[in-house]
Amino acid sequence: MSDAPARASSAQRQRLRALWRSAGWPSRDMLELELIGAGWVERLLDADGRETLRLTDAGIAQLLSARRQHQAALGAHEALAARVAQAMQRDGRLAWRGLALRAPLVQAEAEGGSRTRWVVAMPDVYSIRQTTREDALLPIAHEVKVSRADLLADLRRPAKGEAYRALASECWYVLAAGIAQADEIPPLFGVLQATPGGALEVLRPAPRRPFTPMLGLWMALARATPEPPDEESPQAPLGPVA
């Protein structure tokens, strides 16, 4: 037991959660053996000699630690997304968080043609200018990352970025300080870095392209509620119109 790792791996935590939610029937695989050896799971025998598994106090502590870390990361993510939305509002834009938008992805066919595949994109912040000119809306999508692991997982899914670009004139990654360099982000995206003082520093501007929202996008925005103005901002009651 003294050789037990200080922190369970992702696979070990997943199995601990499964055991916590189950009746504890053993699987007898190597992962289960690791959990028993680490002292996070113990074997029990009932009166009929049937074996079950139960989390020890140390195993429960591993689950609690993982949950608190997840909640802390989620809190940091939401706080940074709120900062981005407020920055967009200060620029005179309408901003939304938590939207689920249908995005068209055009895929080339082997025969030389193409087909459109529709996917659901969920940018952390989506904003448009407050204007009556359709060609001046300048939709912008922001994707917020507060951990390097989450960022790298995102970059391994290029279709996600393509979906954002199908919905916006500009797309940005917003990074917590220290998790990545600008040159690690694909050049089709701008890069903002959150500073400890609360500012958003431009590490690389986003390429801009003409974009006119489709009817389906307009309907999604009409059904959603924009972020309320930042009450602490002295310009909260104002709404510049381009």
Side-chain angles (χ1 to χ4, degrees):
M1 301 298 180
S2 59
D3 296 331
R7 184 170 181 267
S9 68
S10 176
Q12 289 170 336
R13 292 195 302 272
Q14 185 175 359
R15 180 63 64 84
L16 287 172
R17 282 192 294 270
L19 286 171
W20 175 254
R21 296 168 179 162
S22 72
W25 298 115
S27 301
R28 297 194 180 280
D29 58 8
M30 291 299 102
L31 184 57
E32 192 173 278
L33 189 63
E34 292 174 4
L35 298 179
I36 295 172
W40 297 329
V41 168
E42 62 181 351
R43 302 161 63 201
L44 300 174
L45 293 176
D46 64 14
D48 297 321
R50 290 173 298 205
E51 181 181 319
T52 56
L53 301 177
R54 182 177 68 182
L55 269 64
T56 63
D57 288 345
I60 293 172
Q62 286 289 330
L63 285 186
L64 281 173
S65 175
R67 177 171 174 79
R68 287 167 182 158
Q69 290 173 1
H70 174 74
Q71 290 175 327
L74 183 61
H77 181 277
E78 291 302 304
L80 183 50
R83 283 168 58 183
V84 174
Q86 290 165 6
M88 295 299 99
Q89 290 173 331
R90 287 193 293 271
D91 285 344
R93 302 174 65 85
L94 290 172
W96 290 263
R97 291 168 59 193
L99 289 177
L101 305 172
R102 294 183 73 239
L105 296 184
V106 178
Q107 297 178 319
E109 297 281 5
E111 296 78 11
S114 64
R115 67 183 181 93
T116 299
R117 180 169 65 95
W118 290 87
V119 299
V120 176
M122 301 178 66
D124 290 312
V125 181
Y126 188 85
S127 65
I128 60 174
R129 284 175 173 165
Q130 297 191 56
T131 177
T132 56
R133 291 177 48 197
E134 189 177 35
D135 61 348
L137 287 166
L138 189 63
I140 298 179
H142 287 88
E143 180 70 6
V144 173
K145 296 298 175 188
V146 297
S147 78
R148 181 169 179 81
D150 189 24
L151 172 64
L152 295 179
D154 226 45
L155 297 179
R156 289 193 290 267
R157 300 166 55 200
K160 181 177 179 179
E162 292 173 13
Y164 287 172
R165 295 189 67 248
L167 296 169
S169 295
E170 295 180 5
C171 295
W172 294 77
Y173 271 98
V174 185
L175 309 178
I179 69 168
Q181 301 296 320
D183 58 9
E184 297 180 74
I185 307 301
L188 293 174
F189 297 85
V191 184
L192 288 168
Q193 180 175 268
T195 66
L200 296 173
E201 178 186 0
V202 177
L203 300 185
R204 187 179 69 210
R208 180 178 297 182
R209 63 189 184 90
F211 179 81
T212 301
M214 301 165 292
L215 178 60
L217 177 54
W218 274 121
M219 292 300 296
L221 297 180
R223 289 192 297 265
T225 303
E227 287 291 291
D230 180 10
E231 295 180 355
E232 297 182 1
S233 170
Q235 295 188 1
L238 304 179
V241 178

